[in-house]
Every structure is written in structure tokens, then in C-alpha cells.
Amino acid sequence: MNAGSDALTVTHLVKEYRAHRTVFRAVDDVSFRIPRGATFGLVGESGSGKSTIARCALNLIQPTSGTSLVDGADPARVRGRALRQLRARTGFVFQNPKAALNPRLRIRDSVAEPLRTHTALKPAEIDKRVAALLDEVGLSSSHADRLPHQLSGGQAQRAGVARAIATEPELIVLDEPTSALDVSVQAQVLNLLQRLKQERGLSYLLISHDLDVVRYMSDEAGVMRRGQMVESGPADVVLRTPSHEYTRQLLAAMPATPGAVEIVPGGDERSILL
């Protein structure tokens, strides 16, 4: 951890795709920062560039131009052991929890995989760590020996969260983490993520098309349209009193549905009405 640095700093990020003589700019000069322990929500329609930004920021795909710093380090410029250490300080929670887990691995092995890759823990220590992680996300020992298809969607996403936090990362990308789940299960998973953020001091880059989820989870928010960030600022301000016409259109198009959530003292996760 680099004292004084943000969890993530993205500066003038551009990502272009070329096909024959045409150029498609998927991300167009995007900048933002995520202080330690904060959540930045990227909201916008499908194809607006949200997931591309996350992958460029972590150098999972190479940006055309611009820079990103993860915990003060540029993932495009580090190699070898330093890159492996940087990867261990980041995690991903994906949209489809069952597809994100190896269908042939039991849950205990999926959660253990990053520990085997990024740590020098002995097998017995890994087993102990996996049991603690599953307990932390609300899964029992009986879930550890199941395959992903034997879990419900919510259980599979909890396993995905356990895997994401296994190496004690600083930054986690939440890529539509609840969009494939039922509303009541969404609330439970969001509460779990908020609790882990508070207890572990996690920083989140949240990607979502759901304005309620972004408003609930985020400290700051950026609104994406056709690769550009058209508006950003405190999430409550951006999503309640937007200044950009496109954000107002998104809010006007959003159906009025229940599903907002709260943090319950003691770590229980439950849903309440908006």
C-alpha cells in the first residue's frame, strides 16, 4: 500500500477500436479518482463504455492513451513480481455469478485459487482461510463442497465475493454485481458488499445501469454516454438533482420499484422498501 495515494486514479483515458478504415472510440477522455475506502459508481446504458473503463484502468486491456494508477502504481509499467502483487491488491465481482466460477471446481477450490496463485500459504493455512472467507460472506461449510450449478444465484455471488476478497485487496471492481439476481437477493448482496467495505476499508469501482444501486452504494458517481463521462460528482447530487440533460433522461426513464437496502448492525443483510 502506498500511503497517501488514491485506490484508483484514471486520467484522460481513451480506448479506440479499429476495423478496416473506421475507428470506434469506446472511451473518450475519461478521468476520475477513487479515494481509499470510497465507492465510485459508473452508470449508463449498455455499450456506454463502463466495463471498458474498468478493464483499461487495471490494464486487462491496453488503453489507446491516458493513464491509470492503482494504489499509486501504473499496471501498464510494472512487470513480474510487482505486477503479481498489484494484481493481488485488486479483485473483480462479475455480473453472472455462476458463469464467473469454474463449473468443474468445487466452491472451496474456486475461493482457494487466488490464494494459491498470489500467496505462499501452506495447504492447511489455505483451507483455514477459505473456511473463514466463506463464513464471512454467509456461506456454510456445506456450500464449500458444492459445484457452482448446485448453488442459487445469491449463493454463487457470495462465493464470488469470497474469491474477490481472498487476497485482501485494496480495490474491487463490481461489474453489474446484482443485475442477474432477484430483487430480494440483490438487497442481501448489496448489504454484504457495504458491510465488507466498512469492515475491511475496501474501495469499489461500481459499474451498473441501475441508478438506485449506484445511488445507494456510491460516494461519487459518473454518468457515461457514448464513451464520455457527461456528468460526475457526489452520487446523491448527480442522481437526485442532475445538471446534464442525459442524466435527467435516465432518471425519467427509471421505473419506480422497491429494492433499496440498508446496513443492519451486527452484519445481517436484509432488504427494506425504498
Side-chain angles (χ1 to χ4, degrees), residues 81-186:
R81 181 181 179 184
L83 180 59
R84 291 192 296 273
Q85 290 175 339
L86 187 62
R87 292 279 186 243
R89 298 204 299 273
T90 61
F92 258 90
V93 176
F94 296 97
Q95 177 177 4
N96 188 330
K98 293 186 180 181
L101 297 170
N102 188 324
R104 298 181 180 181
L105 288 183
R106 300 195 180 276
I107 296 306
R108 68 167 72 252
D109 293 317
S110 286
V111 176
E113 195 170 31
L115 294 170
R116 293 174 181 141
T117 301
H118 295 293
T119 75
L121 293 175
K122 297 178 181 179
E125 295 172 322
I126 290 177
D127 290 343
K128 184 177 180 180
R129 177 73 178 141
V130 168
L133 285 164
L134 292 176
D135 181 68
E136 188 172 4
V137 301
L139 294 177
S140 67
S141 57
S142 65
H143 296 111
D145 291 318
R146 298 181 189 178
L147 295 170
H149 76 271
Q150 296 173 311
L151 300 180
S152 68
Q155 290 168 345
Q157 193 60 293
R158 288 174 184 268
V161 172
R163 178 184 167 89
I165 65 174
T167 58
E168 301 187 354
E170 160 68 23
L171 173 70
I172 294 181
V173 176
L174 307 173
D175 193 351
E176 300 279 6
T178 60
S179 63
L181 305 176
D182 293 339
V183 171
S184 61
V185 179
Q186 289 180 20

Side-chain angles (χ1 to χ4, degrees), residues 202-231:
L202 294 170
S203 309
Y204 291 146
L205 173 57
L206 170 65
I207 297 166
S208 182
H209 66 275
D210 190 320
L211 302 183
D212 277 339
V213 168
V214 172
R215 181 189 296 140
Y216 169 67
M217 290 285 291
S218 303
D219 301 290
E220 300 275 325
V223 181
M224 296 296 302
R225 184 191 188 198
R226 297 177 182 173
Q228 295 183 326
M229 188 176 292
V230 299
E231 183 169 2

Side-chain angles (χ1 to χ4, degrees), residues 37 42-44 48 62 65 67 70 80 98 112 139 160-161 164 177 191 216 271:
L42 282 175
V43 65
S48 60
Q62 187 174 4
S65 62
T67 61
V70 179
K98 293 186 180 181
L139 294 177
V161 172
N191 276 321
Y216 169 67
S271 63

